[in-house]
Amino acid sequence: MKLSYACRVIKLGGSVVTVKDKPMSVRHDIIKYLSSELASFLNEHPNVRLLLIHGGGSFGHFSIKKCLSSVGAIDVKCFSHTSYMMMLLNTYLVNELIEAGLTPVSIPPHTIFWKEGGKLKYELGLLKEYLAKGFTPVLYGDVIISDNVFEVLSGDTIAWVLAKELDVNEIVFVTDVDGLFDKDPKVHSDAKFIETLRAEELKDLKFSTSDYDVTGSMMLKLTEGLKYGVKDVRVRIVNGLVKGNVYKVLVGSSTVGTVVEY
Ligand code: IP8
């Protein structure tokens, strides 16, 4: 469904909104400046809507790791605790967004996404309604019902699904790295920065997976777009730990981050 106004999907990575290896640690300072950058952009572009999604960081991922190591699976207790942890993290972000002057509304993904017969299902009617009324919906990586079990739904997957279903042609992945490199920059000091790339060229790059993150790596994040068959989508990957970067990307500056064309 094509929206009658321009809309951008922004995924704030868990490593940007939290310190990933320190349980329940919110990066308040970063959330604060990101919120004011989003607010500045929206004030200057009142006809554009933003759809925000954040990752699990040291709230969701930590909770899931704990269940997997003690129970070996996501059971009802783990689901309940993880969804609570994600809502908690969500409140910190929503609070800052309100303080910055935005009109966010939280949409817990476990209430609109589920899996049936292994297939991801969703009900996006209300989300579209909130967008149309001028809200900034805020979603996040969450736990969902998957037939007879429970599983994690990554915020990255939500970003792709929303971009495809709402015909959005720009997704901004706000991460803790400057963009794409030909090798994992956290492992190789000689990794070369890539300014632009076509999605078909992704397979030529090599990334390691982080063992802390239960939903995968940068590569998974980007190749998922191919799986969902998105077309004419521009993905921007930007370092949110640098003040000003997200605003620059939103106003179309090509001086920061990597662009991947799908
Ligand atoms: O950080 C994962 O979301 P992501 C959410 O976007 C949970 O992959 C509950 C671990």
Side-chain angles (χ1 to χ4, degrees), residues 169-172 232-236 259-262:
N169 51 22
E170 185 165 301
I171 306 178
V172 181
D232 302 322
V233 173
R234 163 172 291 208
V235 166
R236 303 217 44 184
V259 178
V260 186
E261 303 279 2
Y262 288 76

Side-chain angles (χ1 to χ4, degrees), residues 11 55-57 60-61 64 82 86 141-142 152-156 214-215:
K11 161 80 195 294
H61 288 283
I64 294 288
T82 307
M86 287 311 299
D142 203 358
V152 173
L153 174 67
S154 169
D156 295 341
V214 289
T215 51

Side-chain angles (χ1 to χ4, degrees), residues 48-180:
V48 179
R49 300 282 193 280
L50 297 180
L51 245 168
L52 298 183
I53 304 153
H54 66 82
S58 56
F59 283 67
H61 288 283
F62 189 76
S63 175
I64 294 288
K65 286 256 157 162
K66 227 165 123 187
C67 315
L68 293 183
S69 62
S70 59
V71 186
I74 304 174
D75 60 4
V76 178
K77 209 168 155 193
C78 171
F79 186 111
S80 191
H81 183 257
T82 307
S83 70
Y84 162 68
M85 292 297 265
M86 287 311 299
M87 278 182 161
L88 198 57
L89 175 57
N90 182 257
T91 59
Y92 289 109
L93 178 65
V94 168
N95 178 50
E96 284 303 341
L97 293 169
I98 291 173
E99 290 285 313
L102 282 130
T103 47
V105 61
S106 294
I107 303 186
H110 64 263
T111 63
I112 59 165
F113 285 90
W114 68 99
K115 271 191 178 176
E116 252 174 63
K119 205 173 171 322
L120 187 63
K121 307 268 186 182
Y122 30 83
E123 177 44 67
L124 303 178
L126 268 178
L127 183 145
K128 289 179 201 161
E129 199 64 36
Y130 284 120
L131 265 179
K133 291 191 172 2
F135 288 97
T136 299
V138 189
L139 293 85
Y140 44 86
D142 203 358
V143 272
I144 56 164
I145 291 177
S146 176
D147 291 302
N148 296 322
V149 292
F150 306 116
E151 64 177 74
V152 173
L153 174 67
S154 169
D156 295 341
T157 304
I158 298 177
W160 286 113
V161 168
L162 296 184
K164 185 166 167 80
E165 291 298 324
L166 305 178
D167 225 351
V168 170
N169 51 22
E170 185 165 301
I171 306 178
V172 181
F173 284 113
V174 183
T175 68
D176 62 346
V177 290
D178 292 334
L180 276 190

Side-chain angles (χ1 to χ4, degrees), residues 31-59:
I31 289 180
K32 205 180 238 329
Y33 73 64
L34 287 177
S35 300
S36 72
E37 288 176 35
L38 297 176
S40 303
F41 172 76
L42 280 183
N43 284 337
E44 292 156 13
H45 303 82
N47 295 325
V48 179
R49 300 282 193 280
L50 297 180
L51 245 168
L52 298 183
I53 304 153
H54 66 82
S58 56
F59 283 67

